[in-house]
Amino acid sequence: MFHICKLFFEEVELIYEPSDDANLHMKITIRTDESARLAYGDIRLSSPAGGEVYTSRYEKKLGAREETYKRAIKRVIGFCMLHVLRDYTGLEQAWGTLTGVRPTKLMHNMMMKNSLEDCVQMLRDEYLVTEPKVQLLAGIAERQLKVIPDLFRLDREVSIYIGIPFCPTKCAYCTFPAYDIRGNNGSVEAFLEGLHDEIRITGQWLRETDLKITTIYWGGGTPTSITAEQMDALFVTMSETFPHWDEVRELTVEAGRPDTITEDKIEVMKKWNVDRISINPQSFTQATLDAIGRHHTVTETLDKFKLARQMGMNNINMDLIIGLPNEGMKELQKTLDQTEQLLPESLTVHTLSFKRASRMTKNKEDYEVAERDEIEEMIRTTAEWTEQQGYVPYYMYRQKNILGNQENVGYALEGYESLYNILMMEERQTIIGLGCGAVSKILFPKVEHEDGYEQRIERFPNPKEPALYNQAYKEYVVKKIKLLDEAYKEAALK
């Protein structure tokens, strides 16, 4: 209820008991019958001085599909709330009642029990998703199954995330573990020593459990903030420790900051057969880069992209962000025009999100961003541009406080989709996080019940701050291995 209200209003407070507060502006009442087959939604708005200024009512029949009582109640409440709030505000919500981060995960769950046509109709009728988003969601789900045909059969494989928590500087919108590599947040050498140890311990567990690795992803921070020699040493440890090293399907290094990319680092990545890197401009407007604290130039992005190409990197991703401060259609078009000259193999298009802990959110008054209608136009323009260039959407996710209630979409040329991005978002296999700020997602065996199945997923975060990681990683890795043992012991019993 709270998140649906947040789609329409910036400030929302839920009160679960009757209130005599004179400042209470809105009251929403949802009533259901005992069988949860019918719900009524009413919205009444009053001025602080008293007196009703608006009323609306909507009712929803659940239909014949069998569901648990709890899910039925949730569904009809969301349906009624969206209708009455849309009536009052005049705002259309493209994603309907879907407020979660992973709508594609919902789509896959639906497709396991229903035809694609039925799933599409359910998105329209039950979740009130608009037609463009319905088609986006259906297309992505189908493509993911084409890219990873065994997406639902990866029980004996895991993926690995390597968290390198250092960057040249921290961007204004960022909340990832990213510390100035020149700072005093814990010795880089001490951190790397702990990471090598954590890799060895994890590799030993994988060998003993006889699990293969699907993908390995270096993220952060900016992994290419460390030296070429330090990168090479990590690859040596992984190759010596991880089982079935030559069967890993994909190896990605997030070389996101152009100011960290050098010839010797590219040589190391080529030596170890890194088959995908990211070089992230975010924008091709220099004033924007300065405002958000990127501290690299547009020219530097172009030069480093060309360097990587010349040195044989033939699978490059670029990240763009829609809605950065002081950017509108003019700046977006400039970025798209410049990207067209480069044509990376894949493109991740983010919509700016005001993350709670970011510098941008804490100083929101210092950053002017586009209005909702312009954000929608920018999203639409970008989608049309990617189609013209031959890109196809292959993964997507949403975030809280994202501008215009939109989404982040990964586009790729045929055959260049990121396996790790799909696996991370769809939560179909265990992801083991190593390093600072890395979060493991450990999947337990599925439990069947009358309404489908449920699967326990345990998140296990490593310490975010390098100094704390250096002190405590041994304690954390023991706890993580214990949790992994529990999950895979249950799997073996089944």
Side-chain angles (χ1 to χ4, degrees), residues 337-357:
D337 291 344
Q338 186 63 73
T339 305
E340 189 171 341
Q341 300 303 310
L342 304 174
L343 282 183
E345 282 67 32
S346 60
L347 197 67
T348 307
V349 181
H350 302 267
T351 307
L352 182 66
S353 171
F354 279 92
K355 300 173 184 177
R356 185 176 57 184

Side-chain angles (χ1 to χ4, degrees), residues 262-272 311 313:
T262 60
E263 288 188 27
D264 56 348
K265 293 174 188 177
I266 296 176
E267 287 290 0
V268 167
M269 290 187 281
K270 286 190 62 183
K271 170 185 173 182
W272 291 100
M311 295 184 67
M313 303 304 294

Side-chain angles (χ1 to χ4, degrees), residues 308-326:
R309 274 281 190 259
Q310 291 165 4
M311 295 184 67
M313 303 304 294
N314 60 7
N315 188 352
I316 301 176
N317 174 76
M318 301 190 92
D319 283 6
L320 305 177
I321 301 180
I322 288 176
L324 286 169
N326 303 313

Side-chain angles (χ1 to χ4, degrees), residues 5-199:
C5 286
K6 284 286 289 182
L7 298 178
F8 296 90
F9 307 104
E10 286 193 15
E11 299 296 330
V12 173
E13 181 183 5
L14 294 186
I15 299 173
Y16 293 97
E17 296 180 355
S19 173
D20 297 324
D21 187 350
N23 294 315
L24 188 65
H25 290 261
M26 176 185 294
K27 182 177 181 180
I28 299 174
T29 303
I30 304 289
R31 300 193 306 277
T32 63
D33 69 357
E34 291 183 359
S35 66
R37 294 296 173 188
L38 186 66
Y40 307 92
D42 296 280
I43 182 170
R44 295 184 176 86
L45 284 84
S46 304
S47 66
E52 193 173 90
V53 295
Y54 178 86
T55 60
S56 178
R57 183 184 184 198
Y58 204 90
E59 71 176 45
K60 163 68 177 169
K61 291 183 178 179
L62 181 63
R65 279 194 315 114
E66 289 189 6
E67 295 190 66
T68 62
Y69 180 76
K70 181 179 179 181
R71 293 189 184 197
I73 290 291
K74 182 177 179 180
R75 181 78 55 82
V76 295
I77 286 175
F79 190 97
C80 291
M81 284 187 66
L82 193 80
H83 270 289
V84 292
L85 290 173
R86 187 174 64 185
D87 288 349
Y88 171 66
T89 64
L91 294 177
E92 180 77 33
Q93 298 298 340
W95 285 102
T97 60
L98 298 184
T99 58
V101 171
R102 297 177 176 82
T104 43
K105 184 176 180 181
L106 168 68
M107 186 67 179
H108 281 302
N109 288 341
M110 292 166 58
M111 289 171 63
M112 292 174 73
K113 297 183 288 183
N114 305 277
S115 69
L116 180 63
E117 293 74 17
D118 286 346
C119 294
V120 164
Q121 200 59 46
M122 287 163 61
L123 289 172
R124 296 183 188 119
D125 297 343
E126 299 293 333
Y127 294 98
L128 304 176
V129 179
T130 60
E131 193 61 26
K133 304 303 183 187
V134 167
Q135 295 305 320
L136 174 65
L137 201 51
I140 288 175
E142 284 190 296
R143 175 152 294 273
Q144 289 179 340
L145 292 174
K146 179 180 179 181
V147 173
I148 311 179
D150 54 348
L151 181 61
F152 302 120
R153 302 187 302 277
L154 290 170
D155 296 359
R156 299 306 300 170
E157 294 185 17
V158 301
S159 284
I160 303 290
Y161 177 86
I162 306 289
I164 309 290
F166 303 108
C167 274
T169 58
K170 185 150 184 168
C171 301
Y173 53 79
C174 180
T175 57
F176 287 105
Y179 299 90
D180 189 337
I181 198 163
R182 303 159 300 178
N184 298 312
N185 292 295
S187 162
V188 176
E189 290 75 15
F191 160 73
L192 291 174
E193 183 179 342
L195 179 56
H196 278 276
D197 200 18
E198 192 178 13
I199 289 171

